[in-house]
Amino acid sequence: MGRVIYKLPLSALAGVVVDIAPNATVGCYRLIDCLQYTSARILSIQEFSDASSLSYSAISYIWKGNPSPEQEKTASFSVKGAEDADPVSIDVLHQACMASLLEGADWLWLDCLCIIQTSRDDKAWQIERMYNIYKACAVSIVLPGGVSRLVPVDEETRWITRAWTLQEVTAPRKAVVLFSWEYGAGEWDDGRGGVKGRVIQVYPGTAMVPLIEVLKACFHPMALSWTPEDGPSSRDDISPSILGSYGDSSIGSLLWVLEMDDPDGRNVAIWRSSLLRASSRPVDMVFSIMGTFGVTLDPKQFRKTDRIGATIALAQQILRLGGKPVWLALSLDIPPSRCLSSFPAFPETDVSGDVHWETRHGPTNPNVADDIYSIDELNETSDEDEEDEGENASDIFFDEHWVTDIPSGSMDHDGYLTISAKAAPAVFTGQVFGRRRTNLAKNNDGTVEFADVPEDSTRVAATDGKIWDILPPPPPPSESRRHRNPLANMPFDIHSFYWCIPKVSPRSCLPA
């Protein structure tokens, strides 16, 4: 049984600053009693030394949600130590508790209320266990607009741009989106079976839909038809945008994470999705994904700005546990980090959720001065670029491409990655693609031809357009001459390989 550490009737909760610190114990799990909140109209928070036997939901939200002129009129309360966050709406928390109960969970975890916000030790303890808290929950309830109000399905939010929300929906067994909705239960679909969403009414004016169905609806380029469960339709077709809009890289990368079965492919998708997110504390970009890789770092060992140091520590632990350096395939167009060269350059981020790189617009313009482009601009390809053989389109991410069978390795404390594997010589053919998506090489005079391919070699294309031949390994030497074979079990450092064959593309270069 738990121990009640905070209890207050909802009638007295408006305008209160909730402080659980006087009765809470550092290093414990705390949960909100949903039945007490919805039936007895009491905010009751209980503390447990072990919550593994309890059925609870966990809230995924952003601290600064969508503002509204009506928000100031809503009864709400704030939390001691988290006064910089949005106040918690008493009604929104009621809707979340109702959704939790519908999903069979009698308890609810909300970080601002269930972590001692004034205790650095409790925060560190909770962060170390954050992944497991979400992994063990019965359902993750997404509040895209924050805890101050529920937003309608056609109002865009910044939920998908935040660092912590990635693990909050990839760790649990199930995730749903809770939103404002006036049309009851029913179903939306695109008429072709590609996009479907089962809308479940939680309370009059509130509904929820499985997260993956909302993501697909937002990513869909056309309006969806609405079919109510009872009676004729009372509204036109809908165009959900609550998690973003058509073509957003963040939506595509999260869908990839949720639908990927291959372990290496999923890990690449996690890294890529993380690159598209932001946090007010750079180090949280690492803490928010470490549990996904089975790693636990001590948050107190890193400064809040030390993203590089935390990334090195995370990579070291992944490799020590037998994991693979799949981050090598994160992006072939983003330049390598100047501080951690086996990773692409980390983007500049800010509290608003904006993510951008200082990079050249496309890999074929090495003499162009660096400018700042947003991630969406880097992903776009104009029709003019597609038609012009002299231009390379810029793909920050090759969707659903990843490195398979990559060997593991080790990383030192300075961030240098070493992989031991057999090597093969690579020879530059002297030819360059006119554009990356063609299978022809263009000569300097503009003519196009196929070069002679050495027998048994593998032809590859780098993202800068250069054509290389990977030569076959020499035949095994006799025992008497084995020591003379320079390629047998030759270790190499990935940094040397990277510069010898600049950013080799997995798109078409490697044999099956």
Side-chain angles (χ1 to χ4, degrees):
M1 295 294 294
R3 181 175 67 91
V4 177
I5 62 168
Y6 190 89
K7 194 170 185 178
L8 189 67
L10 301 193
S11 58
L13 190 56
V16 169
V17 178
V18 174
D19 185 8
I20 65 172
N23 298 315
T25 305
V26 172
C28 285
Y29 299 98
R30 303 172 196 96
L31 297 169
I32 299 167
D33 188 328
C34 293
L35 286 171
Q36 284 283 302
Y37 199 96
T38 56
S39 298
R41 305 292 292 173
I42 295 173
L43 172 61
S44 176
I45 303 174
Q46 295 192 31
E47 189 172 80
F48 304 84
S49 58
D50 181 9
S52 59
S53 63
L54 299 175
S55 180
Y56 66 92
S57 63
I59 300 297
S60 176
Y61 71 108
I62 56 179
W63 277 41
K64 287 288 187 180
N66 289 27
S68 169
E70 299 297 320
Q71 190 169 307
E72 297 179 359
K73 303 177 183 179
T74 303
S76 60
F77 61 92
S78 57
V79 179
K80 183 72 172 179
E83 289 89 350
D84 60 327
D86 287 339
V88 180
S89 164
I90 295 174
D91 181 63
V92 168
L93 187 53
H94 178 269
Q95 304 298 332
C97 286
M98 290 289 293
S100 182
L101 292 169
L102 281 176
E103 292 292 332
D106 294 336
W107 302 88
L108 183 143
W109 189 86
L110 176 62
D111 63 352
C112 67
L113 279 175
C114 299
I115 298 176
I116 306 175
Q117 298 297 330
T118 54
S119 171
R120 183 171 180 264
D121 290 336
D122 194 64
K123 282 184 177 181
W125 189 90
Q126 302 283 349
I127 288 175
E128 288 183 41
R129 292 157 179 81
M130 194 74 70
Y131 178 81
N132 289 329
I133 289 173
Y134 279 92
K135 184 178 181 181
C137 74
V139 61
S140 175
I141 301 173
V142 179
L143 305 179
V147 290
S148 286
R149 70 181 181 98
L150 294 180
V151 298
V153 73
D154 56 357
E155 180 177 335
E156 289 197 35
T157 69
R158 294 183 291 106
W159 173 86
I160 205 168
T161 70
R162 309 309 295 164
W164 286 103
T165 60
L166 176 58
Q167 76 168 6
E168 291 169 2
V169 293
T170 56
R173 290 162 285 177
K174 182 179 182 180
V176 298
V177 180
L178 185 64
F179 51 88
S180 173
W181 180 258
E182 301 291 342
Y183 306 100
E187 187 176 83
W188 65 49
D189 67 82
D190 64 355
R192 295 176 295 179
V195 178
K196 280 186 175 293
R198 183 64 181 170
V199 179
I200 299 172
Q201 181 171 281
V202 175
Y203 201 75
T206 308
M208 63 181 178
V209 175
L211 170 72
I212 195 165
E213 296 176 2
V214 179
L215 287 168
K216 290 179 179 180
C218 292
F219 204 65
H220 194 68
M222 295 177 287
L224 306 174
S225 62
W226 164 247
T227 304
E229 192 173 86
D230 299 314
S233 177
S234 59
R235 65 156 297 152
D236 297 330
D237 292 347
I238 57 174
S239 297
S241 58
I242 191 170
L243 301 181
S245 56
Y246 168 64
D248 280 1
S249 300
S250 296
I251 301 178
S253 64
L254 182 53
L255 278 171
W256 184 12
V257 176
L258 296 174
E259 296 185 314
M260 174 58 62
D261 293 326
D262 182 271
D264 289 342
R266 187 176 189 274
N267 287 340
V268 170
I270 289 286
W271 282 110
R272 290 182 180 176
S273 188
S274 178
L275 271 182
L276 296 172
R277 295 166 181 261
S279 174
S280 58
R281 289 164 33 100
V283 73
D284 283 347
M285 302 304 302
V286 178
F287 295 155
S288 63
I289 61 171
M290 64 181 179
T292 306
F293 302 104
V295 173
T296 300
L297 302 176
D298 183 357
K300 292 188 288 187
Q301 298 298 314
F302 303 92
R303 301 184 310 276
K304 66 180 182 179
T305 58
D306 191 10
R307 182 175 184 176
I308 296 296
T311 300
I312 291 174
L314 174 59
Q316 287 177 324
Q317 289 294 335
I318 290 173
L319 297 173
R320 285 171 186 162
L321 293 172
K324 301 177 182 179
V326 297
W327 56 82
L328 291 169
L330 288 187
S331 174
L332 305 177
D333 284 343
I334 301 175
S337 167
R338 296 176 181 177
C339 302
L340 192 56
S341 58
S342 64
F343 282 83
F346 297 128
E348 299 292 330
T349 64
D350 56 42
V351 178
S352 70
D354 181 45
V355 175
H356 57 264
W357 277 266
E358 292 184 6
T359 182
R360 298 181 178 91
H361 195 183
T364 58
N365 299 309
N367 297 318
V368 176
D370 284 349
D371 290 313
I372 295 178
Y373 295 89
S374 72
I375 184 67
D376 292 325
E377 287 172 337
L378 282 166
N379 272 329
E380 289 174 355
T381 303
S382 68
D383 293 338
E384 184 177 322
D385 286 341
E386 286 290 330
E387 295 171 359
D388 187 349
E389 290 188 355
E391 293 291 335
N392 277 351
S394 181
D395 293 320
I396 286 300
F397 299 119
F398 295 153
D399 289 341
E400 299 186 5
H401 284 72
W402 65 94
V403 173
T404 61
D405 300 323
I406 186 173
S408 188
S410 62
M411 180 175 285
D412 64 21
H413 293 300
D414 293 321
Y416 288 102
L417 173 67
T418 300
I419 295 176
S420 295
K422 291 183 178 181
V427 177
F428 177 47
T429 65
Q431 295 179 312
V432 180
F433 273 137
R435 57 175 180 154
R436 190 184 312 149
R437 291 186 176 85
T438 184
N439 60 358
L440 301 178
K442 179 182 287 187
N443 297 324
N444 291 332
D445 61 1
T447 61
V448 176
E449 65 178 26
F450 285 106
D452 293 334
V453 181
E455 187 177 357
D456 298 328
S457 69
T458 300
R459 179 147 291 183
V460 300
T463 57
D464 61 1
K466 293 181 179 179
I467 310 300
W468 296 75
D469 284 329
I470 307 297
L471 304 183
S478 63
E479 283 296 327
S480 61
R481 301 187 57 182
R482 185 176 297 276
H483 67 281
R484 298 183 184 180
N485 180 9
L487 297 178
N489 297 314
M490 178 186 292
F492 68 91
D493 189 305
I494 192 64
H495 305 89
S496 300
F497 181 78
Y498 180 89
W499 292 113
C500 288
I501 308 178
K503 298 190 284 188
V504 175
S505 168
R507 177 176 287 180
S508 59
C509 64
L510 301 180

